[in-house]
mmCIF file with all atom_site columns, all heavy atoms in Angstrom:
data_model
loop_
_atom_site.group_PDB
_atom_site.id
_atom_site.type_symbol
_atom_site.label_atom_id
_atom_site.label_alt_id
_atom_site.label_comp_id
_atom_site.label_asym_id
_atom_site.label_entity_id
_atom_site.label_seq_id
_atom_site.pdbx_PDB_ins_code
_atom_site.Cartn_x
_atom_site.Cartn_y
_atom_site.Cartn_z
_atom_site.occupancy
_atom_site.B_iso_or_equiv
_atom_site.pdbx_formal_charge
_atom_site.auth_seq_id
_atom_site.auth_comp_id
_atom_site.auth_asym_id
_atom_site.auth_atom_id
_atom_site.pdbx_PDB_model_num
ATOM 1   N N   . ASP A 1 124 ? -43.779 191.806 -17.874 1.00 98.00 ? 124 ASP A N   1
ATOM 2   C CA  . ASP A 1 124 ? -43.597 190.710 -16.923 1.00 98.00 ? 124 ASP A CA  1
ATOM 3   C C   . ASP A 1 124 ? -42.629 191.183 -15.839 1.00 98.00 ? 124 ASP A C   1
ATOM 4   O O   . ASP A 1 124 ? -41.498 191.575 -16.146 1.00 98.00 ? 124 ASP A O   1
ATOM 5   C CB  . ASP A 1 124 ? -43.037 189.497 -17.662 1.00 98.00 ? 124 ASP A CB  1
ATOM 6   C CG  . ASP A 1 124 ? -42.802 188.299 -16.760 1.00 98.00 ? 124 ASP A CG  1
ATOM 7   O OD1 . ASP A 1 124 ? -43.245 188.324 -15.596 1.00 98.00 ? 124 ASP A OD1 1
ATOM 8   O OD2 . ASP A 1 124 ? -42.155 187.338 -17.229 1.00 98.00 ? 124 ASP A OD2 1
ATOM 9   N N   . ASP A 1 126 ? -40.300 190.370 -12.949 1.00 96.00 ? 126 ASP A N   1
ATOM 10  C CA  . ASP A 1 126 ? -39.543 189.187 -12.533 1.00 96.00 ? 126 ASP A CA  1
ATOM 11  C C   . ASP A 1 126 ? -38.542 189.568 -11.443 1.00 96.00 ? 126 ASP A C   1
ATOM 12  O O   . ASP A 1 126 ? -37.564 190.276 -11.722 1.00 96.00 ? 126 ASP A O   1
ATOM 13  C CB  . ASP A 1 126 ? -38.819 188.610 -13.748 1.00 96.00 ? 126 ASP A CB  1
ATOM 14  C CG  . ASP A 1 126 ? -38.086 187.315 -13.441 1.00 96.00 ? 126 ASP A CG  1
ATOM 15  O OD1 . ASP A 1 126 ? -38.282 186.756 -12.347 1.00 96.00 ? 126 ASP A OD1 1
ATOM 16  O OD2 . ASP A 1 126 ? -37.303 186.864 -14.307 1.00 96.00 ? 126 ASP A OD2 1
ATOM 17  N N   . PRO A 1 127 ? -38.753 189.137 -10.204 1.00 95.00 ? 127 PRO A N   1
ATOM 18  C CA  . PRO A 1 127 ? -37.803 189.483 -9.135  1.00 95.00 ? 127 PRO A CA  1
ATOM 19  C C   . PRO A 1 127 ? -36.478 188.755 -9.312  1.00 95.00 ? 127 PRO A C   1
ATOM 20  O O   . PRO A 1 127 ? -36.441 187.595 -9.735  1.00 95.00 ? 127 PRO A O   1
ATOM 21  C CB  . PRO A 1 127 ? -38.524 189.027 -7.866  1.00 95.00 ? 127 PRO A CB  1
ATOM 22  C CG  . PRO A 1 127 ? -39.426 187.926 -8.325  1.00 95.00 ? 127 PRO A CG  1
ATOM 23  C CD  . PRO A 1 127 ? -39.854 188.296 -9.721  1.00 95.00 ? 127 PRO A CD  1
ATOM 24  N N   . SER A 1 128 ? -35.397 189.437 -8.990  1.00 90.00 ? 128 SER A N   1
ATOM 25  C CA  . SER A 1 128 ? -34.053 188.871 -9.162  1.00 90.00 ? 128 SER A CA  1
ATOM 26  C C   . SER A 1 128 ? -33.300 188.903 -7.845  1.00 90.00 ? 128 SER A C   1
ATOM 27  O O   . SER A 1 128 ? -33.589 189.711 -6.958  1.00 90.00 ? 128 SER A O   1
ATOM 28  C CB  . SER A 1 128 ? -33.276 189.671 -10.212 1.00 90.00 ? 128 SER A CB  1
ATOM 29  O OG  . SER A 1 128 ? -33.989 189.748 -11.422 1.00 90.00 ? 128 SER A OG  1
ATOM 30  N N   . SER A 1 187 ? -40.127 200.934 -20.150 1.00 98.00 ? 187 SER A N   1
ATOM 31  C CA  . SER A 1 187 ? -39.225 200.368 -19.143 1.00 98.00 ? 187 SER A CA  1
ATOM 32  C C   . SER A 1 187 ? -38.021 201.267 -18.917 1.00 98.00 ? 187 SER A C   1
ATOM 33  O O   . SER A 1 187 ? -37.505 201.366 -17.796 1.00 98.00 ? 187 SER A O   1
ATOM 34  C CB  . SER A 1 187 ? -38.786 198.956 -19.545 1.00 98.00 ? 187 SER A CB  1
ATOM 35  O OG  . SER A 1 187 ? -38.047 198.971 -20.746 1.00 98.00 ? 187 SER A OG  1
ATOM 36  N N   . GLY A 1 188 ? -37.583 201.965 -19.973 1.00 98.00 ? 188 GLY A N   1
ATOM 37  C CA  . GLY A 1 188 ? -36.457 202.886 -19.820 1.00 98.00 ? 188 GLY A CA  1
ATOM 38  C C   . GLY A 1 188 ? -36.773 204.036 -18.882 1.00 98.00 ? 188 GLY A C   1
ATOM 39  O O   . GLY A 1 188 ? -35.957 204.406 -18.025 1.00 98.00 ? 188 GLY A O   1
ATOM 40  N N   . THR A 1 191 ? -36.839 202.598 -15.246 1.00 98.00 ? 191 THR A N   1
ATOM 41  C CA  . THR A 1 191 ? -35.530 202.241 -14.663 1.00 98.00 ? 191 THR A CA  1
ATOM 42  C C   . THR A 1 191 ? -34.684 203.485 -14.412 1.00 98.00 ? 191 THR A C   1
ATOM 43  O O   . THR A 1 191 ? -33.871 203.499 -13.483 1.00 98.00 ? 191 THR A O   1
ATOM 44  C CB  . THR A 1 191 ? -34.775 201.256 -15.574 1.00 98.00 ? 191 THR A CB  1
ATOM 45  O OG1 . THR A 1 191 ? -34.676 201.785 -16.896 1.00 98.00 ? 191 THR A OG1 1
ATOM 46  C CG2 . THR A 1 191 ? -35.487 199.910 -15.618 1.00 98.00 ? 191 THR A CG2 1
ATOM 47  N N   . PRO A 1 195 ? -33.559 203.516 -10.454 1.00 97.00 ? 195 PRO A N   1
ATOM 48  C CA  . PRO A 1 195 ? -32.440 202.650 -10.857 1.00 97.00 ? 195 PRO A CA  1
ATOM 49  C C   . PRO A 1 195 ? -32.028 201.631 -9.800  1.00 97.00 ? 195 PRO A C   1
ATOM 50  O O   . PRO A 1 195 ? -31.420 200.613 -10.131 1.00 97.00 ? 195 PRO A O   1
ATOM 51  C CB  . PRO A 1 195 ? -31.313 203.652 -11.136 1.00 97.00 ? 195 PRO A CB  1
ATOM 52  C CG  . PRO A 1 195 ? -31.663 204.856 -10.313 1.00 97.00 ? 195 PRO A CG  1
ATOM 53  C CD  . PRO A 1 195 ? -33.160 204.921 -10.342 1.00 97.00 ? 195 PRO A CD  1
ATOM 54  N N   . LEU A 1 198 ? -35.464 198.873 -10.078 1.00 98.00 ? 198 LEU A N   1
ATOM 55  C CA  . LEU A 1 198 ? -35.935 198.276 -11.326 1.00 98.00 ? 198 LEU A CA  1
ATOM 56  C C   . LEU A 1 198 ? -34.795 198.191 -12.328 1.00 98.00 ? 198 LEU A C   1
ATOM 57  O O   . LEU A 1 198 ? -33.891 199.022 -12.327 1.00 98.00 ? 198 LEU A O   1
ATOM 58  C CB  . LEU A 1 198 ? -37.079 199.105 -11.921 1.00 98.00 ? 198 LEU A CB  1
ATOM 59  C CG  . LEU A 1 198 ? -38.246 199.443 -10.989 1.00 98.00 ? 198 LEU A CG  1
ATOM 60  C CD1 . LEU A 1 198 ? -39.239 200.350 -11.693 1.00 98.00 ? 198 LEU A CD1 1
ATOM 61  C CD2 . LEU A 1 198 ? -38.925 198.173 -10.492 1.00 98.00 ? 198 LEU A CD2 1
ATOM 62  N N   . THR A 1 199 ? -34.871 197.185 -13.219 1.00 97.00 ? 199 THR A N   1
ATOM 63  C CA  . THR A 1 199 ? -33.806 197.022 -14.205 1.00 97.00 ? 199 THR A CA  1
ATOM 64  C C   . THR A 1 199 ? -34.359 196.508 -15.531 1.00 97.00 ? 199 THR A C   1
ATOM 65  O O   . THR A 1 199 ? -35.385 195.828 -15.574 1.00 97.00 ? 199 THR A O   1
ATOM 66  C CB  . THR A 1 199 ? -32.720 196.045 -13.700 1.00 97.00 ? 199 THR A CB  1
ATOM 67  O OG1 . THR A 1 199 ? -31.691 195.926 -14.683 1.00 97.00 ? 199 THR A OG1 1
ATOM 68  C CG2 . THR A 1 199 ? -33.294 194.661 -13.409 1.00 97.00 ? 199 THR A CG2 1
ATOM 69  N N   . GLU A 1 200 ? -33.640 196.845 -16.609 1.00 96.00 ? 200 GLU A N   1
ATOM 70  C CA  . GLU A 1 200 ? -33.906 196.306 -17.944 1.00 96.00 ? 200 GLU A CA  1
ATOM 71  C C   . GLU A 1 200 ? -32.879 195.242 -18.321 1.00 96.00 ? 200 GLU A C   1
ATOM 72  O O   . GLU A 1 200 ? -32.915 194.752 -19.445 1.00 96.00 ? 200 GLU A O   1
ATOM 73  C CB  . GLU A 1 200 ? -33.828 197.426 -18.989 1.00 96.00 ? 200 GLU A CB  1
ATOM 74  C CG  . GLU A 1 200 ? -34.818 198.543 -18.837 1.00 96.00 ? 200 GLU A CG  1
ATOM 75  C CD  . GLU A 1 200 ? -34.594 199.616 -19.890 1.00 96.00 ? 200 GLU A CD  1
ATOM 76  O OE1 . GLU A 1 200 ? -33.721 200.485 -19.681 1.00 96.00 ? 200 GLU A OE1 1
ATOM 77  O OE2 . GLU A 1 200 ? -35.268 199.560 -20.937 1.00 96.00 ? 200 GLU A OE2 1
ATOM 78  N N   . GLU A 1 201 ? -32.011 194.894 -17.405 1.00 94.00 ? 201 GLU A N   1
ATOM 79  C CA  . GLU A 1 201 ? -30.894 193.995 -17.691 1.00 94.00 ? 201 GLU A CA  1
ATOM 80  C C   . GLU A 1 201 ? -31.380 192.554 -17.927 1.00 94.00 ? 201 GLU A C   1
ATOM 81  O O   . GLU A 1 201 ? -31.916 191.913 -17.027 1.00 94.00 ? 201 GLU A O   1
ATOM 82  C CB  . GLU A 1 201 ? -29.906 194.014 -16.523 1.00 94.00 ? 201 GLU A CB  1
ATOM 83  C CG  . GLU A 1 201 ? -28.761 193.041 -16.641 1.00 94.00 ? 201 GLU A CG  1
ATOM 84  C CD  . GLU A 1 201 ? -27.963 193.196 -17.916 1.00 94.00 ? 201 GLU A CD  1
ATOM 85  O OE1 . GLU A 1 201 ? -27.402 194.290 -18.133 1.00 94.00 ? 201 GLU A OE1 1
ATOM 86  O OE2 . GLU A 1 201 ? -27.927 192.227 -18.692 1.00 94.00 ? 201 GLU A OE2 1
ATOM 87  N N   . PRO A 1 202 ? -31.199 192.014 -19.151 1.00 92.00 ? 202 PRO A N   1
ATOM 88  C CA  . PRO A 1 202 ? -31.678 190.654 -19.410 1.00 92.00 ? 202 PRO A CA  1
ATOM 89  C C   . PRO A 1 202 ? -30.853 189.564 -18.726 1.00 92.00 ? 202 PRO A C   1
ATOM 90  O O   . PRO A 1 202 ? -31.366 188.472 -18.476 1.00 92.00 ? 202 PRO A O   1
ATOM 91  C CB  . PRO A 1 202 ? -31.597 190.534 -20.934 1.00 92.00 ? 202 PRO A CB  1
ATOM 92  C CG  . PRO A 1 202 ? -30.573 191.541 -21.347 1.00 92.00 ? 202 PRO A CG  1
ATOM 93  C CD  . PRO A 1 202 ? -30.687 192.666 -20.361 1.00 92.00 ? 202 PRO A CD  1
ATOM 94  N N   . ARG A 1 203 ? -29.585 189.853 -18.414 1.00 93.00 ? 203 ARG A N   1
ATOM 95  C CA  . ARG A 1 203 ? -28.735 188.828 -17.781 1.00 93.00 ? 203 ARG A CA  1
ATOM 96  C C   . ARG A 1 203 ? -28.937 188.843 -16.268 1.00 93.00 ? 203 ARG A C   1
ATOM 97  O O   . ARG A 1 203 ? -28.733 189.848 -15.596 1.00 93.00 ? 203 ARG A O   1
ATOM 98  C CB  . ARG A 1 203 ? -27.270 189.086 -18.124 1.00 93.00 ? 203 ARG A CB  1
ATOM 99  C CG  . ARG A 1 203 ? -26.934 188.800 -19.592 1.00 93.00 ? 203 ARG A CG  1
ATOM 100 C CD  . ARG A 1 203 ? -25.579 189.321 -19.959 1.00 93.00 ? 203 ARG A CD  1
ATOM 101 N NE  . ARG A 1 203 ? -25.557 190.794 -19.919 1.00 93.00 ? 203 ARG A NE  1
ATOM 102 C CZ  . ARG A 1 203 ? -24.522 191.543 -20.272 1.00 93.00 ? 203 ARG A CZ  1
ATOM 103 N NH1 . ARG A 1 203 ? -23.399 190.964 -20.650 1.00 93.00 ? 203 ARG A NH1 1
ATOM 104 N NH2 . ARG A 1 203 ? -24.586 192.854 -20.200 1.00 93.00 ? 203 ARG A NH2 1
ATOM 105 N N   . LYS A 1 204 ? -29.338 187.685 -15.760 1.00 92.00 ? 204 LYS A N   1
ATOM 106 C CA  . LYS A 1 204 ? -29.656 187.594 -14.336 1.00 92.00 ? 204 LYS A CA  1
ATOM 107 C C   . LYS A 1 204 ? -28.479 187.998 -13.455 1.00 92.00 ? 204 LYS A C   1
ATOM 108 O O   . LYS A 1 204 ? -28.662 188.615 -12.402 1.00 92.00 ? 204 LYS A O   1
ATOM 109 C CB  . LYS A 1 204 ? -30.102 186.175 -13.994 1.00 92.00 ? 204 LYS A CB  1
ATOM 110 C CG  . LYS A 1 204 ? -31.454 185.806 -14.560 1.00 92.00 ? 204 LYS A CG  1
ATOM 111 C CD  . LYS A 1 204 ? -31.876 184.420 -14.104 1.00 92.00 ? 204 LYS A CD  1
ATOM 112 C CE  . LYS A 1 204 ? -33.255 184.077 -14.658 1.00 92.00 ? 204 LYS A CE  1
ATOM 113 N NZ  . LYS A 1 204 ? -33.717 182.738 -14.205 1.00 92.00 ? 204 LYS A NZ  1
ATOM 114 N N   . ALA A 1 205 ? -27.282 187.655 -13.879 1.00 92.00 ? 205 ALA A N   1
ATOM 115 C CA  . ALA A 1 205 ? -26.095 187.929 -13.057 1.00 92.00 ? 205 ALA A CA  1
ATOM 116 C C   . ALA A 1 205 ? -25.877 189.422 -12.856 1.00 92.00 ? 205 ALA A C   1
ATOM 117 O O   . ALA A 1 205 ? -25.202 189.827 -11.903 1.00 92.00 ? 205 ALA A O   1
ATOM 118 C CB  . ALA A 1 205 ? -24.859 187.291 -13.698 1.00 92.00 ? 205 ALA A CB  1
ATOM 119 N N   . ASN A 1 206 ? -26.447 190.241 -13.750 1.00 93.00 ? 206 ASN A N   1
ATOM 120 C CA  . ASN A 1 206 ? -26.216 191.690 -13.687 1.00 93.00 ? 206 ASN A CA  1
ATOM 121 C C   . ASN A 1 206 ? -27.403 192.474 -13.115 1.00 93.00 ? 206 ASN A C   1
ATOM 122 O O   . ASN A 1 206 ? -27.393 193.694 -13.114 1.00 93.00 ? 206 ASN A O   1
ATOM 123 C CB  . ASN A 1 206 ? -25.891 192.231 -15.080 1.00 93.00 ? 206 ASN A CB  1
ATOM 124 C CG  . ASN A 1 206 ? -24.578 191.692 -15.616 1.00 93.00 ? 206 ASN A CG  1
ATOM 125 O OD1 . ASN A 1 206 ? -23.713 191.263 -14.851 1.00 93.00 ? 206 ASN A OD1 1
ATOM 126 N ND2 . ASN A 1 206 ? -24.425 191.699 -16.928 1.00 93.00 ? 206 ASN A ND2 1
ATOM 127 N N   . ARG A 1 207 ? -28.416 191.763 -12.628 1.00 95.00 ? 207 ARG A N   1
ATOM 128 C CA  . ARG A 1 207 ? -29.614 192.462 -12.135 1.00 95.00 ? 207 ARG A CA  1
ATOM 129 C C   . ARG A 1 207 ? -29.525 192.860 -10.675 1.00 95.00 ? 207 ARG A C   1
ATOM 130 O O   . ARG A 1 207 ? -30.278 193.724 -10.230 1.00 95.00 ? 207 ARG A O   1
ATOM 131 C CB  . ARG A 1 207 ? -30.849 191.568 -12.328 1.00 95.00 ? 207 ARG A CB  1
ATOM 132 C CG  . ARG A 1 207 ? -31.204 191.295 -13.764 1.00 95.00 ? 207 ARG A CG  1
ATOM 133 C CD  . ARG A 1 207 ? -32.402 190.375 -13.835 1.00 95.00 ? 207 ARG A CD  1
ATOM 134 N NE  . ARG A 1 207 ? -32.598 189.828 -15.159 1.00 95.00 ? 207 ARG A NE  1
ATOM 135 C CZ  . ARG A 1 207 ? -33.425 188.818 -15.426 1.00 95.00 ? 207 ARG A CZ  1
ATOM 136 N NH1 . ARG A 1 207 ? -34.125 188.257 -14.440 1.00 95.00 ? 207 ARG A NH1 1
ATOM 137 N NH2 . ARG A 1 207 ? -33.551 188.372 -16.656 1.00 95.00 ? 207 ARG A NH2 1
ATOM 138 N N   . GLY A 1 208 ? -28.645 192.226 -9.938  1.00 94.00 ? 208 GLY A N   1
ATOM 139 C CA  . GLY A 1 208 ? -28.596 192.493 -8.506  1.00 94.00 ? 208 GLY A CA  1
ATOM 140 C C   . GLY A 1 208 ? -29.890 192.061 -7.847  1.00 94.00 ? 208 GLY A C   1
ATOM 141 O O   . GLY A 1 208 ? -30.432 191.003 -8.144  1.00 94.00 ? 208 GLY A O   1
ATOM 142 N N   . ASP A 1 209 ? -30.394 192.921 -6.945  1.00 95.00 ? 209 ASP A N   1
ATOM 143 C CA  . ASP A 1 209 ? -31.633 192.616 -6.217  1.00 95.00 ? 209 ASP A CA  1
ATOM 144 C C   . ASP A 1 209 ? -32.819 193.417 -6.749  1.00 95.00 ? 209 ASP A C   1
ATOM 145 O O   . ASP A 1 209 ? -33.764 193.716 -6.023  1.00 95.00 ? 209 ASP A O   1
ATOM 146 C CB  . ASP A 1 209 ? -31.448 192.913 -4.724  1.00 95.00 ? 209 ASP A CB  1
ATOM 147 C CG  . ASP A 1 209 ? -30.408 192.015 -4.077  1.00 95.00 ? 209 ASP A CG  1
ATOM 148 O OD1 . ASP A 1 209 ? -30.187 190.915 -4.612  1.00 95.00 ? 209 ASP A OD1 1
ATOM 149 O OD2 . ASP A 1 209 ? -29.828 192.424 -3.066  1.00 95.00 ? 209 ASP A OD2 1
ATOM 150 N N   . ARG A 1 210 ? -32.741 193.744 -8.030  1.00 97.00 ? 210 ARG A N   1
ATOM 151 C CA  . ARG A 1 210 ? -33.792 194.565 -8.630  1.00 97.00 ? 210 ARG A CA  1
ATOM 152 C C   . ARG A 1 210 ? -34.834 193.699 -9.340  1.00 97.00 ? 210 ARG A C   1
ATOM 153 O O   . ARG A 1 210 ? -34.591 192.535 -9.635  1.00 97.00 ? 210 ARG A O   1
ATOM 154 C CB  . ARG A 1 210 ? -33.169 195.562 -9.618  1.00 97.00 ? 210 ARG A CB  1
ATOM 155 C CG  . ARG A 1 210 ? -32.248 196.570 -8.949  1.00 97.00 ? 210 ARG A CG  1
ATOM 156 C CD  . ARG A 1 210 ? -31.471 197.383 -9.971  1.00 97.00 ? 210 ARG A CD  1
ATOM 157 N NE  . ARG A 1 210 ? -30.503 196.564 -10.689 1.00 97.00 ? 210 ARG A NE  1
ATOM 158 C CZ  . ARG A 1 210 ? -29.720 197.016 -11.678 1.00 97.00 ? 210 ARG A CZ  1
ATOM 159 N NH1 . ARG A 1 210 ? -29.817 198.281 -12.044 1.00 97.00 ? 210 ARG A NH1 1
ATOM 160 N NH2 . ARG A 1 210 ? -28.874 196.206 -12.277 1.00 97.00 ? 210 ARG A NH2 1
ATOM 161 N N   . VAL A 1 211 ? -35.988 194.287 -9.630  1.00 97.00 ? 211 VAL A N   1
ATOM 162 C CA  . VAL A 1 211 ? -37.033 193.612 -10.392 1.00 97.00 ? 211 VAL A CA  1
ATOM 163 C C   . VAL A 1 211 ? -36.802 193.884 -11.875 1.00 97.00 ? 211 VAL A C   1
ATOM 164 O O   . VAL A 1 211 ? -36.651 195.037 -12.299 1.00 97.00 ? 211 VAL A O   1
ATOM 165 C CB  . VAL A 1 211 ? -38.434 194.094 -9.970  1.00 97.00 ? 211 VAL A CB  1
ATOM 166 C CG1 . VAL A 1 211 ? -39.510 193.483 -10.875 1.00 97.00 ? 211 VAL A CG1 1
ATOM 167 C CG2 . VAL A 1 211 ? -38.693 193.747 -8.514  1.00 97.00 ? 211 VAL A CG2 1
ATOM 168 N N   . TYR A 1 212 ? -36.773 192.816 -12.647 1.00 97.00 ? 212 TYR A N   1
ATOM 169 C CA  . TYR A 1 212 ? -36.562 192.911 -14.090 1.00 97.00 ? 212 TYR A CA  1
ATOM 170 C C   . TYR A 1 212 ? -37.882 193.222 -14.777 1.00 97.00 ? 212 TYR A C   1
ATOM 171 O O   . TYR A 1 212 ? -38.865 192.501 -14.602 1.00 97.00 ? 212 TYR A O   1
ATOM 172 C CB  . TYR A 1 212 ? -35.985 191.588 -14.589 1.00 97.00 ? 212 TYR A CB  1
ATOM 173 C CG  . TYR A 1 212 ? -35.830 191.473 -16.085 1.00 97.00 ? 212 TYR A CG  1
ATOM 174 C CD1 . TYR A 1 212 ? -35.314 192.517 -16.854 1.00 97.00 ? 212 TYR A CD1 1
ATOM 175 C CD2 . TYR A 1 212 ? -36.182 190.286 -16.735 1.00 97.00 ? 212 TYR A CD2 1
ATOM 176 C CE1 . TYR A 1 212 ? -35.154 192.388 -18.217 1.00 97.00 ? 212 TYR A CE1 1
ATOM 177 C CE2 . TYR A 1 212 ? -36.018 190.143 -18.102 1.00 97.00 ? 212 TYR A CE2 1
ATOM 178 C CZ  . TYR A 1 212 ? -35.508 191.203 -18.833 1.00 97.00 ? 212 TYR A CZ  1
ATOM 179 O OH  . TYR A 1 212 ? -35.349 191.060 -20.201 1.00 97.00 ? 212 TYR A OH  1
ATOM 180 N N   . LEU A 1 213 ? -37.905 194.298 -15.558 1.00 98.00 ? 213 LEU A N   1
ATOM 181 C CA  . LEU A 1 213 ? -39.070 194.648 -16.364 1.00 98.00 ? 213 LEU A CA  1
ATOM 182 C C   . LEU A 1 213 ? -38.914 193.965 -17.721 1.00 98.00 ? 213 LEU A C   1
ATOM 183 O O   . LEU A 1 213 ? -38.239 194.470 -18.618 1.00 98.00 ? 213 LEU A O   1
ATOM 184 C CB  . LEU A 1 213 ? -39.174 196.168 -16.536 1.00 98.00 ? 213 LEU A CB  1
ATOM 185 C CG  . LEU A 1 213 ? -39.185 196.997 -15.252 1.00 98.00 ? 213 LEU A CG  1
ATOM 186 C CD1 . LEU A 1 213 ? -39.330 198.479 -15.592 1.00 98.00 ? 213 LEU A CD1 1
ATOM 187 C CD2 . LEU A 1 213 ? -40.298 196.550 -14.318 1.00 98.00 ? 213 LEU A CD2 1
ATOM 188 N N   . ASP A 1 214 ? -39.508 192.804 -17.848 1.00 98.00 ? 214 ASP A N   1
ATOM 189 C CA  . ASP A 1 214 ? -39.337 191.995 -19.052 1.00 98.00 ? 214 ASP A CA  1
ATOM 190 C C   . ASP A 1 214 ? -40.403 192.380 -20.072 1.00 98.00 ? 214 ASP A C   1
ATOM 191 O O   . ASP A 1 214 ? -41.592 192.111 -19.879 1.00 98.00 ? 214 ASP A O   1
ATOM 192 C CB  . ASP A 1 214 ? -39.454 190.514 -18.680 1.00 98.00 ? 214 ASP A CB  1
ATOM 193 C CG  . ASP A 1 214 ? -39.206 189.588 -19.855 1.00 98.00 ? 214 ASP A CG  1
ATOM 194 O OD1 . ASP A 1 214 ? -38.975 190.090 -20.984 1.00 98.00 ? 214 ASP A OD1 1
ATOM 195 O OD2 . ASP A 1 214 ? -39.249 188.357 -19.662 1.00 98.00 ? 214 ASP A OD2 1
ATOM 196 N N   . ILE A 1 215 ? -39.949 193.002 -21.172 1.00 98.00 ? 215 ILE A N   1
ATOM 197 C CA  . ILE A 1 215 ? -40.889 193.403 -22.229 1.00 98.00 ? 215 ILE A CA  1
ATOM 198 C C   . ILE A 1 215 ? -40.670 192.563 -23.490 1.00 98.00 ? 215 ILE A C   1
ATOM 199 O O   . ILE A 1 215 ? -41.238 192.855 -24.554 1.00 98.00 ? 215 ILE A O   1
ATOM 200 C CB  . ILE A 1 215 ? -40.765 194.917 -22.531 1.00 98.00 ? 215 ILE A CB  1
ATOM 201 C CG1 . ILE A 1 215 ? -39.339 195.330 -22.858 1.00 98.00 ? 215 ILE A CG1 1
ATOM 202 C CG2 . ILE A 1 215 ? -41.257 195.731 -21.338 1.00 98.00 ? 215 ILE A CG2 1
ATOM 203 C CD1 . ILE A 1 215 ? -38.971 195.291 -24.309 1.00 98.00 ? 215 ILE A CD1 1
ATOM 204 N N   . GLN A 1 216 ? -39.870 191.502 -23.387 1.00 96.00 ? 216 GLN A N   1
ATOM 205 C CA  . GLN A 1 216 ? -39.481 190.727 -24.564 1.00 96.00 ? 216 GLN A CA  1
ATOM 206 C C   . GLN A 1 216 ? -40.622 189.903 -25.157 1.00 96.00 ? 216 GLN A C   1
ATOM 207 O O   . GLN A 1 216 ? -40.530 189.433 -26.294 1.00 96.00 ? 216 GLN A O   1
ATOM 208 C CB  . GLN A 1 216 ? -38.309 189.803 -24.223 1.00 96.00 ? 216 GLN A CB  1
ATOM 209 C CG  . GLN A 1 216 ? -37.059 190.527 -23.744 1.00 96.00 ? 216 GLN A CG  1
ATOM 210 C CD  . GLN A 1 216 ? -36.603 191.592 -24.728 1.00 96.00 ? 216 GLN A CD  1
ATOM 211 O OE1 . GLN A 1 216 ? -36.573 191.371 -25.938 1.00 96.00 ? 216 GLN A OE1 1
ATOM 212 N NE2 . GLN A 1 216 ? -36.272 192.766 -24.202 1.00 96.00 ? 216 GLN A NE2 1
#
Side-chain angles (χ1 to χ4, degrees):
D124 180 10
D126 184 10
S128 305
S187 63
T191 54
L198 309 176
T199 181
E200 298 177 277
E201 175 55 60
R203 290 168 293 184
K204 290 184 179 181
N206 295 338
R207 294 178 194 168
D209 296 335
R210 296 170 292 177
V211 174
Y212 174 44
L213 305 181
D214 183 358
I215 54 91
Q216 300 306 316

